[in-house]
Amino acid sequence: MIIPKEIKQKPLEYLLLALVFLVGLVIYFFIPISSHGQRLVVYFMAASYFLWSIIHHYRRGDLNLSIVVEYLVMALVGIILLSVSLF
Amino acid sequence: MKSKLSYYFIPQEKNNYRAQILKTGFLLFLVGFYLINQEIIKFVGVVKPGVLGYSSEITAQKVLTQTNLQRQNNGLPALKYSSVLSKSATDKANDMFAHNYWAHTSPTGTTPWDFFKEAGYQYTVAGENLARDFYDTESLMEGWMNSPTHKANIVNSKYQEIGIGVVNGTLGGIKTTLVVQHFGLPVTSIASQQETPKQLQPETVSLQNSRILSEEKSNYINPLTINKTVGAIIFVLVIGVLFIDGYFTLKGGINRLTGSNISHIGFLLIIFLFMLYQRQGAIF
């Protein structure tokens, strides 16, 4: 299996992100929660993903405004596409 | 044509080594397109009421059975069917269609308790659950049971009686089925006109409703299907381009200052999964 170079360089950071996603998935699909609770899970995941990106790029030494905006927009894409239509 | 497409999908000098679709401006354009699509759906609902709608196979009988099943699972006695409460529940659903609102209290200030009184139901404790746009009773009950406040009504040991209104109509320009549950503990046992579920009038009523709905099924479009389709296209496009962009960056040994494609793909794939799994229906 080919593991991308960026994962090889910071395996723990990617593991942490995968763990956050896994927790979100388990809560969303396997724990009986209301649609309000599901919305909170999505917000939590988007916020964690954004926070992770800041820490990840800061530690890599390439944190700048364009990268922050990129993650912010990706989080926005996810939240809007899901929440506007479904909640 | 080919070079234009590659400009949008493949990182190269012309797009500063980042697929154009993944640039902030283009992503915001996609979000904007999606929001406009939402507005168009709402607009169609207003201009051409009845073109859009949610089909449903829910009946009052099924809701009653499922409700009592949940109570049984929680060690509670079954609720007795009350035709008086069913009248108040049906009146409430009709009122929401007539005045185009979706809430416990109407825009004119009519509360659920006003419907109880109008129907002639005297209670010491009462409650109301609302639902809309659900296709089947199982999903509807799952929605209610996953909400602590709605569950509290369904498994409330104080209630003895229930009335259910399942009414089809057009709300906000979209055809749908409203389900109203009215719970109560009557002041006296004489005041309640109790019947067994098998003697219900609403069973006939709801069956009629189901028939009407299935006849109309092919005549309207489900707004959720439109939303999911447009959303899925955007997700597949962005995730696909992230893969392509990542592949060419790796292959070409391109060094650039951007976010991690792997984390973007992971995040968007999970949200995409959530969207695919989501079922129709709302509770209040």
Side-chain angles (χ1 to χ4, degrees):
Chain A
M1 197 176 118
I2 301 160
I3 300 170
K5 203 170 127 193
E6 55 181 292
I7 296 184
K8 278 184 191 166
Q9 285 171 346
K10 303 268 180 192
L12 278 178
E13 287 181 17
Y14 281 94
L15 198 67
L16 183 74
L17 185 68
L19 202 69
V20 169
F21 289 164
L22 193 70
V23 168
L25 267 174
V26 169
I27 296 173
Y28 198 93
F29 287 118
F30 300 108
I31 295 174
I33 47 170
S34 64
S35 59
H36 175 68
Q38 288 181 327
R39 200 180 313 166
L40 290 180
V41 170
V42 173
Y43 294 157
F44 162 78
M45 282 183 59
S48 306
Y49 158 75
F50 181 65
L51 193 70
W52 176 90
S53 73
I54 304 277
I55 296 166
H56 174 72
H57 287 281
Y58 176 75
R59 283 168 59 92
R60 250 174 55 161
D62 62 355
L63 182 67
N64 66 27
L65 187 65
S66 71
I67 285 181
V68 173
V69 171
E70 185 182 324
Y71 280 93
L72 207 61
V73 170
M74 281 292 177
L76 201 73
V77 168
I79 288 174
I80 289 181
L81 259 62
L82 189 67
S83 62
V84 169
S85 64
L86 303 170
F87 294 126
Chain B
M1 178 72 181
K2 206 176 164 187
S3 79
K4 247 202 170 160
L5 269 179
S6 75
Y7 173 76
Y8 282 97
F9 288 86
I10 298 166
Q12 53 196 267
E13 198 180 348
K14 271 192 242 169
N15 54 27
N16 203 18
Y17 297 102
R18 181 69 158 166
Q20 192 62 20
I21 287 175
L22 303 177
K23 299 267 178 78
T24 304
F26 202 92
L27 290 172
L28 287 175
F29 163 77
L30 289 176
V31 169
F33 173 78
Y34 189 71
L35 291 174
I36 288 169
N37 170 63
Q38 295 288 319
E39 291 310 311
I40 291 172
I41 289 173
K42 281 182 198 164
F43 181 72
V44 170
V46 173
V47 176
K48 292 216 168 216
V51 169
L52 303 169
Y54 295 99
S55 61
S56 171
E57 56 167 35
I58 298 167
T59 65
Q61 182 66 52
K62 284 182 186 172
V63 176
L64 178 67
T65 308
Q66 288 282 329
T67 304
N68 279 333
L69 190 69
Q70 294 298 336
R71 287 179 67 86
Q72 194 189 330
N73 292 344
N74 283 273
L76 292 166
L79 293 170
K80 288 166 190 159
Y81 177 80
S82 161
S83 57
V84 182
L85 277 182
S86 276
K87 186 188 178 310
S88 74
T90 306
D91 287 349
K92 170 63 187 266
N94 283 326
D95 192 64
M96 285 193 282
F97 280 128
H99 298 100
N100 202 31
Y101 71 95
W102 165 242
H104 288 297
T105 304
S106 81
T108 53
T110 311
T111 66
W113 328 125
D114 294 322
F115 291 98
F116 282 77
K117 280 177 202 161
E118 273 173 36
Y121 191 85
Q122 292 186 315
Y123 59 87
T124 50
V125 188
E128 180 183 78
N129 277 352
L130 303 178
R132 61 177 287 188
D133 306 339
F134 281 94
Y135 174 70
D136 58 288
T137 318
E138 288 73 23
S139 309
L140 157 73
M141 199 51 67
E142 198 184 315
W144 272 336
M145 290 305 284
N146 286 345
S147 159
T149 51
H150 296 88
K151 185 183 174 182
N153 268 340
I154 291 168
V155 295
N156 191 325
S157 59
K158 288 176 185 167
Y159 298 141
Q160 286 181 358
E161 297 182 344
I162 188 172
I164 297 150
V166 180
V167 184
N168 301 320
T170 305
L171 192 69
I174 295 172
K175 284 198 173 186
T176 191
T177 303
L178 291 181
V179 182
V180 180
Q181 277 186 322
H182 275 177
F183 303 90
L185 172 65
V187 173
T188 60
S189 58
I190 306 155
S192 59
Q193 296 168 19
Q194 296 170 0
E195 295 165 29
T196 60
K198 284 184 180 166
Q199 295 168 322
L200 298 184
Q201 288 172 340
E203 191 174 3
T204 330
V205 173
S206 54
L207 283 173
Q208 281 171 357
N209 285 342
S210 300
R211 229 180 352 255
I212 292 163
L213 213 62
S214 58
E215 277 168 13
E216 292 175 353
K217 235 178 196 176
S218 57
N219 294 340
Y220 50 77
I221 308 154
N222 187 328
L224 185 68
T225 309
I226 302 174
N227 284 332
K228 272 193 177 182
T229 309
V230 176
I233 290 169
I234 295 175
F235 270 120
V236 170
L237 177 71
V238 176
I239 293 169
V241 177
L242 277 166
F243 269 113
I244 295 169
D245 183 81
Y247 171 76
F248 279 98
T249 308
L250 215 67
K251 194 182 159 197
I254 300 166
N255 267 322
R256 59 183 190 191
L257 209 60
T258 59
S260 153
N261 276 14
I262 296 163
S263 63
H264 293 331
I265 290 169
F267 174 71
L268 292 178
L269 268 179
I270 286 174
I271 301 289
F272 185 37
L273 254 181
F274 288 170
M275 193 185 82
L276 290 179
Y277 174 79
Q278 196 73 32
R279 280 180 287 191
Q280 68 183 55
I283 57 172
F284 199 78

